[in-house]
Amino acid sequence: MRCEVVTAARTAMDSDDADDSDGADRTKGEHGTHGERAPGAPGASEVVGEDAAAGAPPPRPLLRAALALYLDLHAHPELSGHEHRTADLLAAWLTEHGCRVTRAVGGGHGLVGVLRNGPGPTVLLRTELDALPVTEATGLPYASTTPGVMHACGHDLHIAAAAGAVALLAADRDSWRGTVLVVGQPAEETLSGARSMLEDGRLYERFGTPDAALAQHAAPLPAGTVAHAPGGAPLMAGSIAADVTLYGRGGHAATPHLTVDPVLMAAATVLGLQSVVARETAPAEQAVLTVGSVRAGERGNITPDTAELSLTARAFTESALDRLLAAATRVVRAQAAAAGAPREPELTVTARSPALLPGPALTAAVRRAHEASLGAGRVLDAAPATATEDFPHFGAGGVATAYGFLGTTGGWRGRGARAGGGPVPPNHAPGFAPDVRTALPAGVTAMAAAARQVLDPGPGGGGPVGRDTGPGGGEAGS
């Protein structure tokens, strides 16, 4: 598949060379047949640099290299805690562009690249490395070659965009001063990687506390757009992940009266948990409780001894999360007691992450930079999402943060959904397929422009989008 990935990238590049006006449309990322052009799919040139207010798009050689990186990453996804090849690729890219790279930060495959360019502020650019246990069903020529594993959340796009932004900054050192920290974070999907790097890896002790931390995430918005939360509003929910073990008494399926059935206990527990949000949460308060995994037994004629559940609770305040956890614990215990379980159930919190509240002043400055570099029409308002992230941990100790959504839905897919052709496959779905040829240039430009809002301008005059010095621009130094 390595050869197929390189071939896909090279064919895309050749198309660009043959016809600059629409070669970027002939992407291999949105459709199932190699070289097919999607009806109405926007090209990279339509997203970056076309707007009268927008800056120049990233150079084509840089975009070609970033696209090749993306295709390689997408074809070779790795689960949380196993991101060795992904980390190798990112480390090699960062080293090539002048970063000093440190591996195994916090154990596992966390890495940090440091690009120093004289005295000045430090900006942290975070990207995630891990994929999901999802079987890909996109039909793409560069689809996952790892059975049961897929980049279904866009982390491959995040890596390629951050890598491209670093290459832009490294190639234009006269325009800025300061230090860029690139954090390749493993295990984001398990909400454990950020804390591991910060606590076990002593990230800020070893590499310095940054003046600001930046990140972006793929979202089902029009490709080529970015979106920010209005000032002071949350962007993502906080969450609690928990595993539950229910204990029964196994036996023969023909003698249910001699058993305590944990399968029935699990079914009743799943149904009971649905009442936590429906009847114990105020209608005006956003909350979600989902049981995403149920495991019990091996054969239909054997009652097992145990059943296991995995659940997540999501809300926008710590007090709401605490209430959801307390209610879920009560339901689990009550169902076990009602079934006559021989042992108390076990509920173990495996991960917890706070709500994502980007800093309002830095967010405002980054938004203005995005309007200047992408065009005001490409910068949208984002409603709070009940998805969750562990990026908020990088704001520990008062580090300013900015975080935005990166649109991934191609125009032809959006029009098809509106015409009744079915919804666009979202993040975590087997059919999730970003319009990479449009989203990637915007992602590279957006990340580089955001970094420049934190870094000092250099003797070259601050580059395409200089650091904001107006109202709110000072948060990055707080």
Side-chain angles (χ1 to χ4, degrees):
M1 187 60 195
R2 172 71 179 180
C3 293
E4 293 178 30
V5 167
V6 173
T7 301
R10 185 174 296 116
T11 302
M13 298 170 193
D14 292 343
S15 296
D16 287 343
D17 289 336
D19 184 353
D20 285 349
S21 65
D22 68 355
D25 292 340
R26 288 192 280 273
T27 174
K28 267 55 71 186
E30 269 291 320
H31 14 82
T33 58
H34 193 73
E36 177 187 356
R37 180 176 176 178
S45 63
E46 296 173 331
V47 176
V48 183
E50 287 283 316
D51 200 303
R60 283 190 179 277
L62 185 154
L63 287 178
R64 292 186 181 111
L67 174 61
L69 175 63
Y70 169 84
L71 296 171
D72 196 344
L73 291 166
H74 190 88
H76 302 94
E78 296 172 308
L79 291 175
S80 305
H82 302 277
E83 310 94 335
H84 59 92
R85 185 181 186 278
T86 305
D88 287 346
L89 289 173
L90 179 57
W93 178 288
L94 296 177
T95 300
E96 179 184 350
H97 292 282
C99 295
R100 181 175 180 179
V101 177
T102 303
R103 304 290 296 271
V105 177
H109 301 292
L111 66 89
V112 176
V114 181
L115 182 64
R116 300 190 187 279
N117 193 32
T122 296
V123 61
L124 183 152
L125 311 182
R126 194 289 305 260
T127 186
E128 318 95 301
L129 306 179
D130 53 338
L132 286 162
V134 173
T135 298
E136 183 162 355
T138 61
L140 296 170
Y142 54 89
S144 171
T145 60
T146 306
V149 183
M150 175 190 175
H151 268 298
C153 201
H155 294 182
D156 46 355
L157 177 62
H158 307 167
I159 295 170
V166 171
L168 271 182
L169 293 169
D172 192 22
R173 290 172 181 256
D174 285 346
S175 69
W176 60 277
R177 288 291 179 266
T179 299
V180 178
L181 293 182
V182 186
V183 172
Q185 179 202 315
E188 187 277 331
E189 294 293 353
T190 59
L191 299 179
S192 60
R195 293 186 69 175
S196 177
M197 294 191 75
L198 286 160
E199 296 173 6
D200 300 337
R202 300 180 294 109
L203 178 67
Y204 289 169
E205 295 176 42
R206 295 170 63 186
F207 300 96
T209 300
D211 295 280
L214 308 174
Q216 56 190 5
H217 202 292
L221 300 168
T225 66
V226 296
H228 295 282
L235 189 59
M236 287 191 185
S239 74
I240 294 174
D243 289 340
V244 175
T245 302
L246 299 167
Y247 294 96
R249 184 169 57 246
H252 200 294
T255 56
H257 59 294
L258 301 179
T259 69
V260 176
D261 190 349
V263 177
L264 184 60
M265 198 187 311
T269 300
V270 172
L271 291 176
L273 287 170
Q274 304 312 301
S275 68
V276 171
V277 172
R279 287 294 178 265
E280 300 190 38
T281 303
E285 183 176 53
Q286 289 181 280
V288 179
L289 195 155
T290 301
V291 178
S293 174
V294 181
R295 302 173 295 277
E298 298 293 338
R299 298 281 299 275
N301 63 347
I302 303 172
T303 298
D305 285 322
T306 62
E308 298 175 342
L309 312 175
S310 294
L311 62 89
T312 57
R314 304 164 190 269
F316 288 93
T317 65
E318 292 300 303
S319 60
L321 286 172
D322 289 338
R323 290 199 308 274
L324 290 171
L325 178 60
T329 302
R330 187 182 70 248
V331 168
V332 167
R333 289 175 176 170
Q335 294 296 345
R343 286 180 55 183
E344 282 281 318
E346 296 176 1
L347 189 151
T348 304
V349 174
T350 57
R352 182 162 182 163
S353 186
L356 176 55
L357 293 162
L362 181 59
T363 297
V366 168
R367 181 178 185 126
R368 290 192 292 271
H370 288 168
E371 289 173 345
S373 58
L374 295 174
R378 309 278 184 192
V379 183
L380 312 176
D381 288 329
T386 48
T388 194
E389 252 273 27
D390 63 357
F391 177 75
H393 293 300
F394 289 103
V399 174
T401 60
Y403 189 107
F405 289 141
L406 178 63
T408 59
T409 303
W412 68 282
R413 275 202 165 189
R415 286 189 290 274
R418 289 191 296 272
V424 175
N427 300 49
H428 290 216
F432 176 70
D435 181 0
V436 63
R437 295 299 307 279
T438 307
L440 181 55
V444 171
T445 299
M447 183 63 85
R452 291 179 185 278
Q453 291 304 297
V454 182
L455 299 164
D456 280 337
V465 181
R467 186 182 179 192
D468 188 285
T469 56
E475 178 179 337
S478 63

